[in-house]
Amino acid sequence: MALDFTAIDFETANGFRGSPCSVGLTKVRGGVIVDEGYWLMRPPEGHDHFDARNITIHNITPDDVAASPRFAQVFPEVHAFIGDDALVAHNAAFDIGVIRSASEVSGMPAPAFDYACTVVLSRKNYSLPSYSLPFVAEAAGVPLLNHHDAIEDARACAGIMVDIAAKHEVDSVRGVFAAMKLPMPHIDAYNPDTDVMSKATRSALEKMAEMKAGLANGTARAGRSSWSTEGPNPVPNPRADMSHPLFGQTIVFTGDLGLGRPEAKVRAAGHGAQCASSVTLKTTVLVVGSGFTASDLRNGRLTSKAARVLELQRRGQGIEVLSEGEFMQMVG
């Protein structure tokens, strides 16, 4: 088999995965990029509001997509571009989740896919302070110049997959998983007439309904939640998807996040992570709030826990640093 696949990256209008506003696709044949595609789109109706935070990340505004078709009209073209390829994405749980959630709220079927997550694969093939896409792309020899441009992110992801395959001297995405003794992830097709919505979509719709009800009753609280309460460390979900990038990780939180720390721990544990309250020799992931981005590792803007992590990294301990945005993508 040749090293054939399609790399994909979505950008979303708001915090719900089912709100795609752009997608970039990079097609690889025999380990070489042969075609690329990019689409702007309006998210599904009712989920098409743009959050300021998302606009700050990708610079796509409502005006930019005002004349674009909605996801339901765009996705058939996207699917035709992908064909029967395995999908490759950096934090694939997010991008695969975008397809599923956007299809569910659009009332349309979604196809099955074999897929690969370059976050999961990169952790096992590179030694880095962060597995954020810019760090991994640089390590793979495909530096990323414009992060959060969907086509550039997809192109960088493709380069990472090609580099990992070369490291293992294999010529297929499935061969990479076989060489690493890992099962290749797969998501089944979705039929709106017979299948229930995914838990991620149901949870998001329930939370949106609660928020609307709170606003109507005047009980919604303004501002960000406080992380002053550490909260208990819940038991990891033993039935979580083993291909998820948080499964089996020992995770610690630092700084302020828009989500309360106890709730963040519940979500992480739901994906099979063991949460802890302090950085130790068992720590494998540190999530940093307070507006932290991966580039802050290079310029020294760190919390005390992050500084401790960098010290342990210098001693050879493998700990990954995640920003709030990366963590929220992973947990939905």
Side-chain angles (χ1 to χ4, degrees), residues 115-296:
Y115 66 92
C117 177
T118 50
V119 172
V120 174
L121 297 177
S122 295
R123 286 173 175 166
K124 299 178 181 296
N125 287 279
Y126 307 99
S127 180
L128 301 170
S130 169
Y131 292 90
S132 174
L133 184 57
F135 276 79
V136 184
E138 183 178 331
V142 287
L144 179 60
L145 301 179
N146 190 15
H147 190 21
H148 294 300
D149 177 288
I151 191 63
E152 293 205 26
D153 283 1
R155 188 182 304 139
C157 181
I160 293 166
M161 189 73 245
V162 171
D163 187 59
I164 291 174
K167 287 179 181 294
H168 291 276
E169 300 181 337
V170 296
D171 58 4
S172 69
V173 175
R174 189 169 293 279
V176 169
F177 283 90
M180 297 173 64
K181 296 180 172 56
L182 296 172
M184 186 161 180
H186 175 85
I187 185 168
D188 292 331
Y190 167 72
N191 183 337
D193 295 327
T194 58
D195 299 332
V196 297
M197 285 187 175
S198 63
K199 181 180 178 182
T201 300
R202 296 198 309 271
S203 297
L205 294 178
E206 289 168 3
K207 287 182 182 297
M208 282 187 273
E210 290 173 3
M211 289 174 63
K212 289 179 180 178
L215 289 170
N217 296 329
T219 58
R221 293 182 297 174
R224 296 165 68 88
S225 301
S226 170
W227 271 43
S228 57
T229 302
E230 181 74 30
N233 295 315
V235 176
N237 176 13
R239 296 182 298 278
D241 180 3
M242 294 179 64
S243 66
H244 192 277
L246 292 181
F247 185 88
Q249 304 297 318
T250 299
I251 188 168
V252 174
F253 299 90
T254 184
D256 289 327
L257 209 68
L259 188 69
R261 194 171 295 188
E263 173 65 15
K265 289 185 174 184
V266 168
R267 294 198 190 187
H271 290 289
Q274 174 63 64
C275 298
S277 301
S278 58
V279 176
T280 69
L281 294 178
K282 294 182 179 180
T283 304
T284 60
V285 173
L286 178 72
V287 176
V288 186
S290 305
F292 167 87
T293 62
S295 61
D296 291 329

Side-chain angles (χ1 to χ4, degrees), residues 1-201:
M1 294 175 63
L3 184 57
D4 298 347
F5 63 88
T6 295
I8 189 168
D9 181 78
F10 279 102
E11 300 297 330
T12 57
N14 54 67
F16 174 45
R17 289 179 180 177
S19 66
C21 58
S22 75
V23 63
L25 295 164
T26 297
K27 185 175 287 292
V28 172
R29 288 291 177 267
V32 177
I33 294 174
V34 297
D35 197 7
E36 292 186 320
Y38 177 79
W39 288 265
L40 284 171
M41 69 193 80
R42 284 183 295 156
E45 189 172 357
H47 306 279
D48 48 6
H49 64 282
F50 277 69
D51 287 349
R53 178 184 174 280
N54 291 61
I55 294 174
T56 300
I57 291 172
H58 51 55
N59 293 316
I60 299 171
T61 68
D63 288 343
D64 292 328
V65 303
S68 300
R70 290 199 185 273
F71 169 83
Q73 286 72 54
V74 171
F75 188 69
E77 293 182 58
V78 172
H79 189 199
F81 186 100
I82 297 167
D84 295 327
D85 281 1
L87 280 180
V88 176
H90 202 72
N91 186 20
F94 171 76
D95 296 281
I96 295 295
V98 169
I99 295 174
R100 178 54 58 89
S101 290
S103 296
E104 288 171 339
V105 297
S106 298
M108 57 185 282
F113 289 110
D114 289 329
Y115 66 92
C117 177
T118 50
V119 172
V120 174
L121 297 177
S122 295
R123 286 173 175 166
K124 299 178 181 296
N125 287 279
Y126 307 99
S127 180
L128 301 170
S130 169
Y131 292 90
S132 174
L133 184 57
F135 276 79
V136 184
E138 183 178 331
V142 287
L144 179 60
L145 301 179
N146 190 15
H147 190 21
H148 294 300
D149 177 288
I151 191 63
E152 293 205 26
D153 283 1
R155 188 182 304 139
C157 181
I160 293 166
M161 189 73 245
V162 171
D163 187 59
I164 291 174
K167 287 179 181 294
H168 291 276
E169 300 181 337
V170 296
D171 58 4
S172 69
V173 175
R174 189 169 293 279
V176 169
F177 283 90
M180 297 173 64
K181 296 180 172 56
L182 296 172
M184 186 161 180
H186 175 85
I187 185 168
D188 292 331
Y190 167 72
N191 183 337
D193 295 327
T194 58
D195 299 332
V196 297
M197 285 187 175
S198 63
K199 181 180 178 182
T201 300

